[in-house]
PDB file of all heavy atoms in Angstrom:
ATOM      1  N   GLY X   1     141.004  86.531 190.509  1.00  0.00           N
ATOM      2  CA  GLY X   1     140.643  87.925 190.679  1.00  0.00           C
ATOM      3  C   GLY X   1     141.660  88.685 191.497  1.00  0.00           C
ATOM      4  O   GLY X   1     142.402  88.117 192.294  1.00  0.00           O
ATOM      5  N   ASP X   2     141.696  89.981 191.263  1.00  0.00           N
ATOM      6  CA  ASP X   2     142.493  90.896 192.074  1.00  0.00           C
ATOM      7  C   ASP X   2     141.749  92.224 192.126  1.00  0.00           C
ATOM      8  O   ASP X   2     140.583  92.300 191.735  1.00  0.00           O
ATOM      9  CB  ASP X   2     143.921  91.034 191.544  1.00  0.00           C
ATOM     10  CG  ASP X   2     144.013  91.669 190.165  1.00  0.00           C
ATOM     11  OD1 ASP X   2     142.998  92.191 189.659  1.00  0.00           O
ATOM     12  OD2 ASP X   2     145.110  91.674 189.590  1.00  0.00           O
ATOM     13  N   ALA X   3     142.411  93.262 192.580  1.00  0.00           N
ATOM     14  CA  ALA X   3     141.767  94.564 192.724  1.00  0.00           C
ATOM     15  C   ALA X   3     141.310  95.140 191.386  1.00  0.00           C
ATOM     16  O   ALA X   3     140.428  95.995 191.341  1.00  0.00           O
ATOM     17  CB  ALA X   3     142.709  95.538 193.420  1.00  0.00           C
ATOM     18  N   ASP X   4     141.896  94.671 190.293  1.00  0.00           N
ATOM     19  CA  ASP X   4     141.553  95.195 188.965  1.00  0.00           C
ATOM     20  C   ASP X   4     140.390  94.467 188.308  1.00  0.00           C
ATOM     21  O   ASP X   4     139.831  94.949 187.335  1.00  0.00           O
ATOM     22  CB  ASP X   4     142.768  95.131 188.036  1.00  0.00           C
ATOM     23  CG  ASP X   4     143.871  96.070 188.492  1.00  0.00           C
ATOM     24  OD1 ASP X   4     143.547  97.173 188.962  1.00  0.00           O
ATOM     25  OD2 ASP X   4     145.050  95.694 188.385  1.00  0.00           O
ATOM     26  N   GLY X   5     140.060  93.279 188.772  1.00  0.00           N
ATOM     27  CA  GLY X   5     138.949  92.549 188.160  1.00  0.00           C
ATOM     28  C   GLY X   5     139.088  91.055 188.303  1.00  0.00           C
ATOM     29  O   GLY X   5     139.910  90.556 189.064  1.00  0.00           O
ATOM     30  N   VAL X   6     138.274  90.350 187.531  1.00  0.00           N
ATOM     31  CA  VAL X   6     138.209  88.887 187.582  1.00  0.00           C
ATOM     32  C   VAL X   6     138.296  88.343 186.163  1.00  0.00           C
ATOM     33  O   VAL X   6     137.746  88.930 185.234  1.00  0.00           O
ATOM     34  CB  VAL X   6     136.879  88.422 188.229  1.00  0.00           C
ATOM     35  CG1 VAL X   6     136.768  86.907 188.229  1.00  0.00           C
ATOM     36  CG2 VAL X   6     136.743  88.970 189.641  1.00  0.00           C
ATOM     37  N   VAL X   7     139.007  87.234 186.010  1.00  0.00           N
ATOM     38  CA  VAL X   7     139.084  86.561 184.718  1.00  0.00           C
ATOM     39  C   VAL X   7     138.597  85.130 184.908  1.00  0.00           C
ATOM     40  O   VAL X   7     138.827  84.520 185.946  1.00  0.00           O
ATOM     41  CB  VAL X   7     140.516  86.595 184.134  1.00  0.00           C
ATOM     42  CG1 VAL X   7     141.486  85.824 185.000  1.00  0.00           C
ATOM     43  CG2 VAL X   7     140.548  86.066 182.722  1.00  0.00           C
ATOM     44  N   VAL X   8     137.896  84.631 183.895  1.00  0.00           N
ATOM     45  CA  VAL X   8     137.416  83.254 183.904  1.00  0.00           C
ATOM     46  C   VAL X   8     138.249  82.472 182.896  1.00  0.00           C
ATOM     47  O   VAL X   8     138.321  82.840 181.725  1.00  0.00           O
ATOM     48  CB  VAL X   8     135.923  83.170 183.517  1.00  0.00           C
ATOM     49  CG1 VAL X   8     135.461  81.716 183.502  1.00  0.00           C
ATOM     50  CG2 VAL X   8     135.073  84.002 184.458  1.00  0.00           C
ATOM     51  N   VAL X   9     138.891  81.403 183.371  1.00  0.00           N
ATOM     52  CA  VAL X   9     139.678  80.540 182.489  1.00  0.00           C
ATOM     53  C   VAL X   9     138.888  79.250 182.312  1.00  0.00           C
ATOM     54  O   VAL X   9     138.696  78.507 183.276  1.00  0.00           O
ATOM     55  CB  VAL X   9     141.068  80.239 183.084  1.00  0.00           C
ATOM     56  CG1 VAL X   9     141.870  79.350 182.135  1.00  0.00           C
ATOM     57  CG2 VAL X   9     141.818  81.521 183.393  1.00  0.00           C
ATOM     58  N   PRO X  10     138.424  78.978 181.093  1.00  0.00           N
ATOM     59  CA  PRO X  10     137.692  77.729 180.874  1.00  0.00           C
ATOM     60  C   PRO X  10     138.571  76.521 181.222  1.00  0.00           C
ATOM     61  O   PRO X  10     139.774  76.512 180.961  1.00  0.00           O
ATOM     62  CB  PRO X  10     137.382  77.749 179.375  1.00  0.00           C
ATOM     63  CG  PRO X  10     137.463  79.192 178.985  1.00  0.00           C
ATOM     64  CD  PRO X  10     138.521  79.787 179.880  1.00  0.00           C
ATOM     65  N   ARG X  11     137.965  75.522 181.807  1.00  0.00           N
ATOM     66  CA  ARG X  11     138.685  74.334 182.260  1.00  0.00           C
ATOM     67  C   ARG X  11     139.587  73.750 181.165  1.00  0.00           C
ATOM     68  O   ARG X  11     140.721  73.364 181.422  1.00  0.00           O
ATOM     69  CB  ARG X  11     137.670  73.289 182.711  1.00  0.00           C
ATOM     70  CG  ARG X  11     138.277  72.004 183.156  1.00  0.00           C
ATOM     71  CD  ARG X  11     137.202  71.007 183.509  1.00  0.00           C
ATOM     72  NE  ARG X  11     137.627  70.296 184.689  1.00  0.00           N
ATOM     73  CZ  ARG X  11     136.846  69.618 185.466  1.00  0.00           C
ATOM     74  NH1 ARG X  11     135.560  69.561 185.226  1.00  0.00           N
ATOM     75  NH2 ARG X  11     137.312  68.973 186.508  1.00  0.00           N
ATOM     76  N   ARG X  12     139.106  73.711 179.941  1.00  0.00           N
ATOM     77  CA  ARG X  12     139.867  73.095 178.852  1.00  0.00           C
ATOM     78  C   ARG X  12     141.115  73.892 178.477  1.00  0.00           C
ATOM     79  O   ARG X  12     141.975  73.389 177.755  1.00  0.00           O
ATOM     80  CB  ARG X  12     138.972  72.897 177.625  1.00  0.00           C
ATOM     81  CG  ARG X  12     138.575  74.187 176.938  1.00  0.00           C
ATOM     82  CD  ARG X  12     137.609  73.961 175.775  1.00  0.00           C
ATOM     83  NE  ARG X  12     137.364  75.173 175.046  1.00  0.00           N
ATOM     84  CZ  ARG X  12     136.632  76.203 175.463  1.00  0.00           C
ATOM     85  NH1 ARG X  12     136.048  76.154 176.643  1.00  0.00           N
ATOM     86  NH2 ARG X  12     136.480  77.272 174.716  1.00  0.00           N
ATOM     87  N   ARG X  13     141.232  75.149 178.950  1.00  0.00           N
ATOM     88  CA  ARG X  13     142.380  75.991 178.586  1.00  0.00           C
ATOM     89  C   ARG X  13     143.310  76.289 179.751  1.00  0.00           C
ATOM     90  O   ARG X  13     144.264  77.047 179.589  1.00  0.00           O
ATOM     91  CB  ARG X  13     141.871  77.299 177.991  1.00  0.00           C
ATOM     92  CG  ARG X  13     141.111  77.073 176.681  1.00  0.00           C
ATOM     93  CD  ARG X  13     140.872  78.342 175.928  1.00  0.00           C
ATOM     94  NE  ARG X  13     142.131  78.977 175.608  1.00  0.00           N
ATOM     95  CZ  ARG X  13     142.234  80.270 175.292  1.00  0.00           C
ATOM     96  NH1 ARG X  13     141.176  81.031 175.258  1.00  0.00           N
ATOM     97  NH2 ARG X  13     143.414  80.796 175.017  1.00  0.00           N
ATOM     98  N   VAL X  14     143.083  75.690 180.913  1.00  0.00           N
ATOM     99  CA  VAL X  14     143.881  76.011 182.096  1.00  0.00           C
ATOM    100  C   VAL X  14     145.367  75.765 181.860  1.00  0.00           C
ATOM    101  O   VAL X  14     146.205  76.612 182.151  1.00  0.00           O
ATOM    102  CB  VAL X  14     143.373  75.240 183.340  1.00  0.00           C
ATOM    103  CG1 VAL X  14     144.352  75.354 184.497  1.00  0.00           C
ATOM    104  CG2 VAL X  14     142.004  75.758 183.749  1.00  0.00           C
ATOM    105  N   THR X  15     145.725  74.602 181.319  1.00  0.00           N
ATOM    106  CA  THR X  15     147.140  74.277 181.090  1.00  0.00           C
ATOM    107  C   THR X  15     147.782  75.284 180.147  1.00  0.00           C
ATOM    108  O   THR X  15     148.897  75.765 180.401  1.00  0.00           O
ATOM    109  CB  THR X  15     147.271  72.849 180.518  1.00  0.00           C
ATOM    110  OG1 THR X  15     146.664  71.941 181.438  1.00  0.00           O
ATOM    111  CG2 THR X  15     148.714  72.464 180.315  1.00  0.00           C
ATOM    112  N   GLU X  16     147.094  75.626 179.076  1.00  0.00           N
ATOM    113  CA  GLU X  16     147.600  76.602 178.104  1.00  0.00           C
ATOM    114  C   GLU X  16     147.805  77.974 178.753  1.00  0.00           C
ATOM    115  O   GLU X  16     148.836  78.627 178.550  1.00  0.00           O
ATOM    116  CB  GLU X  16     146.585  76.711 176.962  1.00  0.00           C
ATOM    117  CG  GLU X  16     146.811  77.834 176.000  1.00  0.00           C
ATOM    118  CD  GLU X  16     145.611  78.039 175.073  1.00  0.00           C
ATOM    119  OE1 GLU X  16     144.671  77.213 175.055  1.00  0.00           O
ATOM    120  OE2 GLU X  16     145.631  79.050 174.367  1.00  0.00           O
ATOM    121  N   VAL X  17     146.846  78.406 179.550  1.00  0.00           N
ATOM    122  CA  VAL X  17     146.937  79.727 180.185  1.00  0.00           C
ATOM    123  C   VAL X  17     148.049  79.756 181.223  1.00  0.00           C
ATOM    124  O   VAL X  17     148.808  80.724 181.306  1.00  0.00           O
ATOM    125  CB  VAL X  17     145.579  80.132 180.789  1.00  0.00           C
ATOM    126  CG1 VAL X  17     145.698  81.385 181.636  1.00  0.00           C
ATOM    127  CG2 VAL X  17     144.547  80.334 179.681  1.00  0.00           C
ATOM    128  N   VAL X  18     148.192  78.697 182.010  1.00  0.00           N
ATOM    129  CA  VAL X  18     149.268  78.632 183.000  1.00  0.00           C
ATOM    130  C   VAL X  18     150.627  78.720 182.311  1.00  0.00           C
ATOM    131  O   VAL X  18     151.521  79.446 182.761  1.00  0.00           O
ATOM    132  CB  VAL X  18     149.156  77.363 183.873  1.00  0.00           C
ATOM    133  CG1 VAL X  18     150.423  77.145 184.695  1.00  0.00           C
ATOM    134  CG2 VAL X  18     147.944  77.453 184.776  1.00  0.00           C
ATOM    135  N   ALA X  19     150.799  78.018 181.207  1.00  0.00           N
ATOM    136  CA  ALA X  19     152.064  78.068 180.469  1.00  0.00           C
ATOM    137  C   ALA X  19     152.332  79.476 179.954  1.00  0.00           C
ATOM    138  O   ALA X  19     153.468  79.981 180.031  1.00  0.00           O
ATOM    139  CB  ALA X  19     152.047  77.077 179.312  1.00  0.00           C
ATOM    140  N   ALA X  20     151.315  80.148 179.453  1.00  0.00           N
ATOM    141  CA  ALA X  20     151.476  81.517 178.949  1.00  0.00           C
ATOM    142  C   ALA X  20     151.841  82.472 180.086  1.00  0.00           C
ATOM    143  O   ALA X  20     152.726  83.320 179.938  1.00  0.00           O
ATOM    144  CB  ALA X  20     150.205  81.978 178.249  1.00  0.00           C
ATOM    145  N   VAL X  21     151.186  82.320 181.220  1.00  0.00           N
ATOM    146  CA  VAL X  21     151.477  83.193 182.368  1.00  0.00           C
ATOM    147  C   VAL X  21     152.890  82.944 182.870  1.00  0.00           C
ATOM    148  O   VAL X  21     153.607  83.887 183.214  1.00  0.00           O
ATOM    149  CB  VAL X  21     150.435  82.965 183.487  1.00  0.00           C
ATOM    150  CG1 VAL X  21     150.854  83.637 184.785  1.00  0.00           C
ATOM    151  CG2 VAL X  21     149.077  83.480 183.044  1.00  0.00           C
ATOM    152  N   ASP X  22     153.320  81.694 182.911  1.00  0.00           N
ATOM    153  CA  ASP X  22     154.692  81.387 183.325  1.00  0.00           C
ATOM    154  C   ASP X  22     155.700  82.054 182.395  1.00  0.00           C
ATOM    155  O   ASP X  22     156.708  82.596 182.844  1.00  0.00           O
ATOM    156  CB  ASP X  22     154.928  79.873 183.362  1.00  0.00           C
ATOM    157  CG  ASP X  22     154.262  79.201 184.551  1.00  0.00           C
ATOM    158  OD1 ASP X  22     153.847  79.909 185.498  1.00  0.00           O
ATOM    159  OD2 ASP X  22     154.152  77.961 184.533  1.00  0.00           O
ATOM    160  N   GLY X  23     155.434  82.031 181.091  1.00  0.00           N
ATOM    161  CA  GLY X  23     156.322  82.679 180.130  1.00  0.00           C
ATOM    162  C   GLY X  23     156.393  84.184 180.346  1.00  0.00           C
ATOM    163  O   GLY X  23     157.474  84.785 180.278  1.00  0.00           O
ATOM    164  N   ILE X  24     155.257  84.802 180.629  1.00  0.00           N
ATOM    165  CA  ILE X  24     155.239  86.239 180.900  1.00  0.00           C
ATOM    166  C   ILE X  24     156.020  86.547 182.173  1.00  0.00           C
ATOM    167  O   ILE X  24     156.803  87.501 182.223  1.00  0.00           O
ATOM    168  CB  ILE X  24     153.779  86.740 181.011  1.00  0.00           C
ATOM    169  CG1 ILE X  24     153.104  86.660 179.648  1.00  0.00           C
ATOM    170  CG2 ILE X  24     153.733  88.161 181.558  1.00  0.00           C
ATOM    171  CD1 ILE X  24     151.601  86.858 179.689  1.00  0.00           C
ATOM    172  N   ALA X  25     155.840  85.730 183.206  1.00  0.00           N
ATOM    173  CA  ALA X  25     156.549  85.943 184.472  1.00  0.00           C
ATOM    174  C   ALA X  25     158.061  85.840 184.271  1.00  0.00           C
ATOM    175  O   ALA X  25     158.826  86.632 184.836  1.00  0.00           O
ATOM    176  CB  ALA X  25     156.073  84.944 185.521  1.00  0.00           C
ATOM    177  N   GLU X  26     158.509  84.890 183.458  1.00  0.00           N
ATOM    178  CA  GLU X  26     159.945  84.752 183.183  1.00  0.00           C
ATOM    179  C   GLU X  26     160.492  85.985 182.481  1.00  0.00           C
ATOM    180  O   GLU X  26     161.567  86.479 182.817  1.00  0.00           O
ATOM    181  CB  GLU X  26     160.199  83.504 182.339  1.00  0.00           C
ATOM    182  CG  GLU X  26     159.995  82.207 183.091  1.00  0.00           C
ATOM    183  CD  GLU X  26     160.079  80.985 182.198  1.00  0.00           C
ATOM    184  OE1 GLU X  26     160.397  81.114 180.994  1.00  0.00           O
ATOM    185  OE2 GLU X  26     159.803  79.876 182.701  1.00  0.00           O
ATOM    186  N   LYS X  27     159.752  86.496 181.496  1.00  0.00           N
ATOM    187  CA  LYS X  27     160.188  87.708 180.794  1.00  0.00           C
ATOM    188  C   LYS X  27     160.246  88.904 181.733  1.00  0.00           C
ATOM    189  O   LYS X  27     161.181  89.710 181.678  1.00  0.00           O
ATOM    190  CB  LYS X  27     159.252  88.009 179.624  1.00  0.00           C
ATOM    191  CG  LYS X  27     159.377  87.046 178.472  1.00  0.00           C
ATOM    192  CD  LYS X  27     158.389  87.367 177.372  1.00  0.00           C
ATOM    193  CE  LYS X  27     158.450  86.351 176.253  1.00  0.00           C
ATOM    194  NZ  LYS X  27     157.477  86.624 175.200  1.00  0.00           N
ATOM    195  N   GLU X  28     159.253  89.024 182.616  1.00  0.00           N
ATOM    196  CA  GLU X  28     159.234  90.135 183.567  1.00  0.00           C
ATOM    197  C   GLU X  28     160.388  90.021 184.557  1.00  0.00           C
ATOM    198  O   GLU X  28     161.008  91.028 184.906  1.00  0.00           O
ATOM    199  CB  GLU X  28     157.903  90.192 184.302  1.00  0.00           C
ATOM    200  CG  GLU X  28     156.766  90.662 183.425  1.00  0.00           C
ATOM    201  CD  GLU X  28     155.423  90.677 184.139  1.00  0.00           C
ATOM    202  OE1 GLU X  28     155.319  90.145 185.273  1.00  0.00           O
ATOM    203  OE2 GLU X  28     154.479  91.230 183.552  1.00  0.00           O
ATOM    204  N   ASP X  29     160.697  88.812 185.010  1.00  0.00           N
ATOM    205  CA  ASP X  29     161.822  88.611 185.919  1.00  0.00           C
ATOM    206  C   ASP X  29     163.140  88.991 185.252  1.00  0.00           C
ATOM    207  O   ASP X  29     164.000  89.633 185.867  1.00  0.00           O
ATOM    208  CB  ASP X  29     161.885  87.161 186.397  1.00  0.00           C
ATOM    209  CG  ASP X  29     160.789  86.815 187.395  1.00  0.00           C
ATOM    210  OD1 ASP X  29     160.163  87.756 187.953  1.00  0.00           O
ATOM    211  OD2 ASP X  29     160.550  85.611 187.611  1.00  0.00           O
ATOM    212  N   ALA X  30     163.306  88.605 183.992  1.00  0.00           N
ATOM    213  CA  ALA X  30     164.531  88.954 183.266  1.00  0.00           C
ATOM    214  C   ALA X  30     164.647  90.469 183.099  1.00  0.00           C
ATOM    215  O   ALA X  30     165.727  91.053 183.292  1.00  0.00           O
ATOM    216  CB  ALA X  30     164.552  88.265 181.899  1.00  0.00           C
ATOM    217  N   LEU X  31     163.559  91.117 182.759  1.00  0.00           N
ATOM    218  CA  LEU X  31     163.568  92.576 182.605  1.00  0.00           C
ATOM    219  C   LEU X  31     163.885  93.249 183.927  1.00  0.00           C
ATOM    220  O   LEU X  31     164.689  94.180 183.991  1.00  0.00           O
ATOM    221  CB  LEU X  31     162.218  93.057 182.068  1.00  0.00           C
ATOM    222  CG  LEU X  31     162.046  94.557 181.920  1.00  0.00           C
ATOM    223  CD1 LEU X  31     163.088  95.138 180.977  1.00  0.00           C
ATOM    224  CD2 LEU X  31     160.642  94.885 181.433  1.00  0.00           C
ATOM    225  N   ARG X  32     163.264  92.770 185.003  1.00  0.00           N
ATOM    226  CA  ARG X  32     163.525  93.324 186.328  1.00  0.00           C
ATOM    227  C   ARG X  32     165.007  93.187 186.680  1.00  0.00           C
ATOM    228  O   ARG X  32     165.620  94.109 187.223  1.00  0.00           O
ATOM    229  CB  ARG X  32     162.657  92.616 187.365  1.00  0.00           C
ATOM    230  CG  ARG X  32     162.669  93.244 188.722  1.00  0.00           C
ATOM    231  CD  ARG X  32     161.674  92.565 189.684  1.00  0.00           C
ATOM    232  NE  ARG X  32     160.297  92.724 189.221  1.00  0.00           N
ATOM    233  CZ  ARG X  32     159.548  91.745 188.705  1.00  0.00           C
ATOM    234  NH1 ARG X  32     160.027  90.522 188.594  1.00  0.00           N
ATOM    235  NH2 ARG X  32     158.308  91.970 188.317  1.00  0.00           N
ATOM    236  N   GLY X  33     165.595  92.047 186.360  1.00  0.00           N
ATOM    237  CA  GLY X  33     167.024  91.832 186.618  1.00  0.00           C
ATOM    238  C   GLY X  33     167.891  92.805 185.844  1.00  0.00           C
ATOM    239  O   GLY X  33     168.864  93.349 186.381  1.00  0.00           O
TER     240      GLY X  33
END
């Protein structure tokens, strides 16, 4: 959760979601650069 809301990640999808978030973070870092 953050100031915008809360998300529930089902236990069986945690690894998949973490990988997706890492990919988004890498793209954002490259764009910021």
Side-chain angles (χ1 to χ4, degrees):
D2 65 10
D4 294 322
V6 177
V7 64
V8 179
V9 181
R11 178 183 220 162
R12 70 184 186 287
R13 296 193 59 200
V14 169
T15 302
E16 170 192 351
V17 171
V18 168
V21 169
D22 286 346
I24 292 168
E26 289 173 5
K27 289 178 184 178
E28 288 178 350
D29 287 344
L31 177 59
R32 190 175 296 108

